[in-house]
């Protein structure tokens, strides 16, 4: 289970990495990348979430089965978001106007 | 062979002043029940509370049918809206979802794998309290005037226009969702970690496989329901524009999120019942289920593919046509694992030593009715035909064949098979057979005319209708009355049998499975001698046929 003892140092490193990520997000917001601003912001946020899940939530030190479960949870969220967005993307593709 | 002989003998040795010590007489008083951590007692708590909601939901069903006796309707349209919404919400969230897993699953799953209890007994009790708290919110909303949105809470009506108790009911559903999540966690962890020595994955009864698959669906789907209800509440209270176009939201987004849970929820309701039917068919024909592994895997296939078809509820909701084609195709695909089960149950009957006791009648009833429910599902999954039958009584009939013909038949079949195990008393066999036949006739008379009504164009959720539909509506109401009487008979003899029924032996059916290797009712620790499994599932050489 999660009895694995993580050295305090690891937590500090992850904490500063998260803070750096936040600073980076703010900085990136001031650069005009047009459509890619949102992509950059989401990529940084995704990386931060990954660190939180792996280190703060101890998934890195858990069994393969736990890792599988965590992955499945995110894959299911991806299914919900991706398929729903597919709807919005292709809704207007009809060739005739009703 | 040896185990059958030793375990009941060992259990009989535990007799204390006449009555053997079991989970029912081990501790008395209200505290011993409300603070219990015994999975069997929690199952009884669930049985009582879920049954109460079944009766409430049933009364609303009868009110719906009474209203539709005359073309003009009996109630005011607004009252009627509240009645069918109450019927839907109570039956779906407070009866069908918890019925088989929280009662039969809770009671049997640990025993079937040879465990003393669930992996997390306190979480198991917490799940029942979540159910009760959620139920209290929903009941309060009901008493305060009810909800008029339909059980589906479609936006923007639910968030902007309805002035009924949407919030209160939403909170109730949010909380009751956690009751099923907690049950799901317990099932998964218990099956992974608590199996008895020798109980390998492919020696698990199909009931356990089905409940494992159900737990996966619960864990992956229910959080989305919680989020959807929470966002609905947020828009209703704070006018955050998520679903209402007037606020900049999109109402179809609600339908995507709602059905991402609510289509898989159909499998939460029917998969456990399929697990029950596997036990009914195997034990009542004394044969190992034909194609055991394929039936086990089909449960997992349903759990996974069931999440990829939700868009078939949105064919006429301005959903992209291209996405509609994919959802239609995938809805056909998901019918395959269900069909595999039906074929394999039927093949199991071949050359079996078949008994027509009540559990078998329910098992066969399930196969026949679920077949009709499933096949008409293909009608509604067809992209073109669905335009004609969307939101008609055809859909109502279809999902009642799945929910009542499937889940309820499975639930009642399981209650009859394991009634002796759970209560220590047998139900009266001839009454039970008669009640099942009455229910079967009543059910078909209720819902078959609704297929015709729907195809002719009768919309669902309407309080009134053109006079030419009256004959079919009256037939349907007559059927509902017969169905109600059949169910009432079952409730009465079950209660009667608690005091007057014959004492149940450890294995009244000559059935296979670890639960029949312990006394009826089982002791608190389930087995006095920890079982070691050395045989495959459904090995009927382990047991004698039922004594005549
Ligand atoms: Cu569906």
């Amino acid at each position: 289970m999660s009895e694995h003892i993580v050295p305090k140092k690891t937590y500090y490193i992850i904490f500063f990495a998260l803070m750096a990520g936040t600073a980076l997000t703010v900085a990136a917001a001031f650069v005009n990348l047009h459509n890619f601003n949102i992509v950059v912001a989401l990529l940084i946020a995704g990386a931060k979430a990954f660190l939180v899940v792996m280190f703060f939530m101890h998934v890195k030190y858990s069994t393969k089965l736990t890792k599988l479960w965590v992955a499945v949870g995110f894959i299911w969220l991806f299914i919900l978001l991706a398929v729903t967005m597919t709807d919005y993307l292709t809704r207007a593709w009809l060739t005739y106007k009703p | 062979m040896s185990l059958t002989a030793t375990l009941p003998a060992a259990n009989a040795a535990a007799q204390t002043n006449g009555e053997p010590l079991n989970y029912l007489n081990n501790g008395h008083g209200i505290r011993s029940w409300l603070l219990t951590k015994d999975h069997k007692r929690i199952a009884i708590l669930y049985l009582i509370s879920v049954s109460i909601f079944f009766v409430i939901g049933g009364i609303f069903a009868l009110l719906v049918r009474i209203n539709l006796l005359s073309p003009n309707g009996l109630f005011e349209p607004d009252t009627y809206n509240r009645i069918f919404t109450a019927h839907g919400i109570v039956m779906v969230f407070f009866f069908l979802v918890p019925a088989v897993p929280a009662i039969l699953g809770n009671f049997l799953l640990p025993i079937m794998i040879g465990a003393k209890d669930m992996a997390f007994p306190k979480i198991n009790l917490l799940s029942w309290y979540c159910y009760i708290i959620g139920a209290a919110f929903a009941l309060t909303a009901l008493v305060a005037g009810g909800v008029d949105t339909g059980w589906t809470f479609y936006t923007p009506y639910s968030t902007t226009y309805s002035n009924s108790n949407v919030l209160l009911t939403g909170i109730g559903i949010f909380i009751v969702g956690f009751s099923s999540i907690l049950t799901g966690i317990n099932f998964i962890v218990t099956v992974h970690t608590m199996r008895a020595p020798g109980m390998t994955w492919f020696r698990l009864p199909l009931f356990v496989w089905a409940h494992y698959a159900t737990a996966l669906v619960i864990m992956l789907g229910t959080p989305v329901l919680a989020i959807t209800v929470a966002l609905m509440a947020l828009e209703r209270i704070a006018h955050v524009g998520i679903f209402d176009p007037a606020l900049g939201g999109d109402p179809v987004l609600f339908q995507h999120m709602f059905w991402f849970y609510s289509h898989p929820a159909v499998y939460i309701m029917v998969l456990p019942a399929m697990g029950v039917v596997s036990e009914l068919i195997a034990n009542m024909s004394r044969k190992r289920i034909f194609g055991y592994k394929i039936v086990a895997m089909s449960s997992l296939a349903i759990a996974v593919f069931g999440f990829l078809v939700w868009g078939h509820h949105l064919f006429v909701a301005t959903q992209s046509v291209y996405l509609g084609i994919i959802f239609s195709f995938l809805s056909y695909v998901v019918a395959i694992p269900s069909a595999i089960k039906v074929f394999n149950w039927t093949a199991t009957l071949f050359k079996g030593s078949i008994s027509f006791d009540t559990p078998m009648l329910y098992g066969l009833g399930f196969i026949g009715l679920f077949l009709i429910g499933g096949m008409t599902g293909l009608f509604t999954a067809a992209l073109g035909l669905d335009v004609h039958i969307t939101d008609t009584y055809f859909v109502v009939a279809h999902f009642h064949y799945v929910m009542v013909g499937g889940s309820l038949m499975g639930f009642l079949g399981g209650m009859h098979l394991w009634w002796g195990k759970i209560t220590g008393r047998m139900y009266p066999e001839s009454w039970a057979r008669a009640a099942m036949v009455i229910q079967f006739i009543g059910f078909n008379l209720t819902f078959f005319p609704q297929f015709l009504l729907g195809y002719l164009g009768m919309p669902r959720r309407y309080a009134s209708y053109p006079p030419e539909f009256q004959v079919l509506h009256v037939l349907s109401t007559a059927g509902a009355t017969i169905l109600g009487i059949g169910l009432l008979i079952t409730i009465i003899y079950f209660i009667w049998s608690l005091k007057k029924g014959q004492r149940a032996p450890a294995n009244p059916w000559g059935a296979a499975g670890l639960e029949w290797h312990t006394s009826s009712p089982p002791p608190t620790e389930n087995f006095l001698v920890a079982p070691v499994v050395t045989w495959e599932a459904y090995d009927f050489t382990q047991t004698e046929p039922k004594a005549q």
Side-chain angles (χ1 to χ4, degrees):
Chain A
M1 308 296 272
S2 53
E3 277 88 25
H4 182 97
I5 294 170
V6 186
K8 267 188 187 166
K9 203 179 140 201
T10 313
Y11 286 131
Y12 286 127
I13 292 173
I14 301 299
F15 176 77
F16 284 112
L18 291 173
M19 284 300 144
T22 309
L24 202 60
T25 313
V26 175
F30 286 102
V31 186
N32 189 353
L33 301 168
H34 304 284
N35 285 337
F36 285 94
N37 273 92
I38 185 101
V39 177
V40 170
L42 282 174
L43 280 177
I44 299 172
K48 284 165 69 184
F50 180 78
L51 291 178
V52 170
V53 170
M54 288 309 261
F55 292 94
F56 286 175
M57 297 173 85
H58 286 207
V59 171
K60 187 174 189 290
Y61 318 108
S62 302
T63 60
K64 278 191 178 148
L65 192 64
T66 309
K67 289 195 175 100
L68 175 72
W69 250 113
V70 174
V72 167
F74 282 103
I75 291 168
W76 250 245
L77 181 65
F78 176 77
I79 293 173
L80 170 65
L81 298 178
V83 177
T84 304
M85 292 322 276
T86 312
D87 175 20
Y88 292 102
L89 200 68
T90 60
R91 233 183 241 182
W93 284 8
L94 272 182
T95 47
Y96 69 92
K97 288 282 161 267
Chain B
M1 225 24 144
S2 58
L3 198 117
T4 350
T6 52
L7 279 191
N11 285 350
Q15 288 203 353
T16 50
N17 48 34
E19 221 195 9
L21 194 61
N22 60 54
Y23 83 97
L24 287 170
N25 59 21
N26 182 14
H28 295 277
I30 198 90
R31 273 177 65 93
S32 78
W33 283 91
L34 293 184
L35 297 177
T36 183
K37 277 168 271 164
D38 182 347
H39 66 103
K40 300 180 288 299
R41 285 192 164 206
I42 296 170
I44 299 289
L45 294 176
Y46 262 117
L47 173 61
I48 296 166
S49 33
V50 168
S51 300
I52 291 171
F53 274 92
F54 179 60
V55 172
I56 296 174
I59 291 170
F60 281 109
L62 282 176
L63 290 177
V64 167
R65 288 315 320 165
I66 288 171
N67 179 73
L68 294 173
L69 271 175
S70 99
N72 297 321
L74 199 79
F75 301 106
E76 289 295 311
D78 180 54
T79 313
Y80 181 72
N81 290 347
R82 289 161 197 260
I83 290 172
F84 71 68
T85 303
H87 167 66
I89 288 173
V90 168
M91 285 303 203
V92 169
F93 295 110
F94 295 94
F95 173 70
L96 285 164
V97 167
V100 181
I103 300 170
L104 292 171
N106 238 332
F107 193 97
L108 292 163
L109 188 126
I111 307 182
M112 282 181 165
I113 64 172
K116 277 186 184 169
D117 206 314
M118 289 283 185
F120 307 120
K122 283 183 192 163
I123 288 183
N124 201 13
L125 182 63
L126 180 64
S127 117
W128 182 71
Y129 278 101
C130 282
Y131 177 87
I132 291 299
I133 295 167
F137 275 99
L139 274 184
T140 311
L142 203 61
V143 174
V147 197
D148 63 353
T149 59
W151 77 278
T152 48
F153 294 101
Y154 271 18
T155 53
Y157 184 70
S158 63
T159 54
T160 308
Y161 302 104
S162 170
N163 46 24
S164 59
N165 298 300
V166 176
L167 268 184
L168 216 50
T169 316
I171 294 170
I173 290 170
F174 184 91
I175 297 173
V176 89
F178 283 90
S179 118
S180 41
I181 290 175
L182 297 177
T183 302
I185 294 178
N186 246 325
F187 283 178
I188 292 175
V189 178
T190 305
V191 174
H192 272 281
T193 62
M194 309 272 288
R195 283 172 287 123
M199 180 57 90
T200 57
W201 280 87
F202 286 113
R203 283 178 177 172
L204 290 173
L206 290 165
F207 180 94
V208 176
W209 273 106
H211 276 74
Y212 183 81
T214 308
L216 295 181
V217 182
I218 290 175
M219 300 292 293
L220 294 169
T222 318
V224 177
L225 173 75
I227 291 169
T228 312
V229 173
L231 288 177
M232 181 184 80
L234 197 64
E235 183 168 291
R236 203 175 153 84
I237 303 168
H239 307 288
V240 180
I242 299 160
F243 304 125
D244 186 351
L247 300 170
D250 177 30
V252 182
L253 178 63
F254 177 86
Q255 297 187 26
H256 275 296
M257 295 181 71
F258 180 83
W259 289 110
F260 184 86
Y261 166 78
S262 291
H263 183 82
V266 174
Y267 299 114
I268 298 177
M269 303 177 222
V270 89
L271 261 175
M274 288 170 156
V276 171
V277 171
S278 289
E279 303 297 314
L280 300 179
I281 298 292
N283 287 322
M284 291 290 137
S285 48
R286 293 186 63 76
K287 263 185 74 188
R288 180 181 166 86
I289 291 287
F290 179 81
Y292 164 93
K293 274 192 187 174
I294 296 176
V295 176
M297 288 304 120
S298 70
S299 288
L300 294 183
I302 289 175
V304 173
F305 287 108
F307 274 103
L308 303 175
V309 300
W310 78 83
H312 61 215
H313 297 269
L314 284 76
F315 286 161
V316 299
T318 73
Q319 176 183 243
S320 154
V321 176
Y322 306 96
L323 195 56
I325 293 169
I326 294 168
F327 273 131
S328 176
F329 173 74
L330 289 174
S331 302
Y332 277 81
V333 171
V334 84
I336 295 171
S338 298
I340 287 174
K341 284 182 191 286
V342 170
F343 283 125
N344 285 25
W345 289 326
T346 316
T348 307
L349 297 174
F350 183 63
K351 288 194 173 171
S353 157
I354 294 176
S355 120
F356 287 103
D357 287 329
T358 315
M360 184 58 147
L361 296 185
Y362 278 111
L364 297 175
F366 178 103
I367 295 179
L369 299 178
F370 179 74
L371 188 72
I372 298 177
M375 296 301 274
T376 51
L378 295 178
F379 287 56
T380 57
L383 198 47
L385 183 55
D386 188 58
V387 175
H388 175 56
I389 53 183
T390 288
D391 277 344
T392 68
Y393 264 78
F394 191 92
V395 175
V396 175
H398 152 66
F399 71 73
H400 280 89
Y401 265 84
V402 176
M403 306 281 74
V404 188
S407 306
L408 185 66
M409 288 282 144
F411 173 63
L412 290 176
M415 287 307 294
H416 284 85
L417 184 71
W418 289 294
W419 186 252
K421 185 55 66 185
I422 294 172
T423 66
R425 303 279 185 165
M426 297 303 283
Y427 61 85
E429 184 62 42
S430 43
W431 277 100
R433 286 188 206 183
M436 190 279 162
V437 172
I438 293 171
Q439 289 159 15
F440 187 82
I441 293 170
F443 171 81
N444 283 294
L445 188 58
T446 312
F447 292 106
F448 202 83
Q450 296 186 4
F451 280 126
L452 307 177
L453 278 169
Y455 201 81
L456 293 172
M458 169 79 204
R460 67 191 285 200
R461 295 177 170 171
Y462 275 38
S464 57
Y465 53 84
E468 58 265 35
F469 290 154
Q470 192 172 16
V471 177
L472 289 169
H473 269 304
V474 170
L475 278 178
S476 183
T477 302
T481 315
I482 296 171
L483 176 59
I485 291 169
L487 292 169
L488 205 59
I489 296 174
T490 297
I491 293 173
I492 290 170
Y493 67 68
F494 267 161
I495 294 173
W496 173 90
S497 76
L498 291 177
K499 285 264 177 279
K500 304 278 175 81
Q502 275 182 359
R503 295 235 174 233
N507 188 355
W509 307 107
L514 271 181
E515 76 271 32
W516 308 107
H517 288 299
T518 187
S519 56
S520 303
T524 303
E525 59 272 33
N526 293 342
F527 302 95
L528 296 183
V529 179
V532 177
V533 183
T534 55
W535 58 88
E536 301 302 314
Y538 309 112
D539 181 356
F540 285 94
T541 58
Q542 296 280 329
T543 60
E544 300 296 318
K546 180 190 155 194
Q548 290 304 313

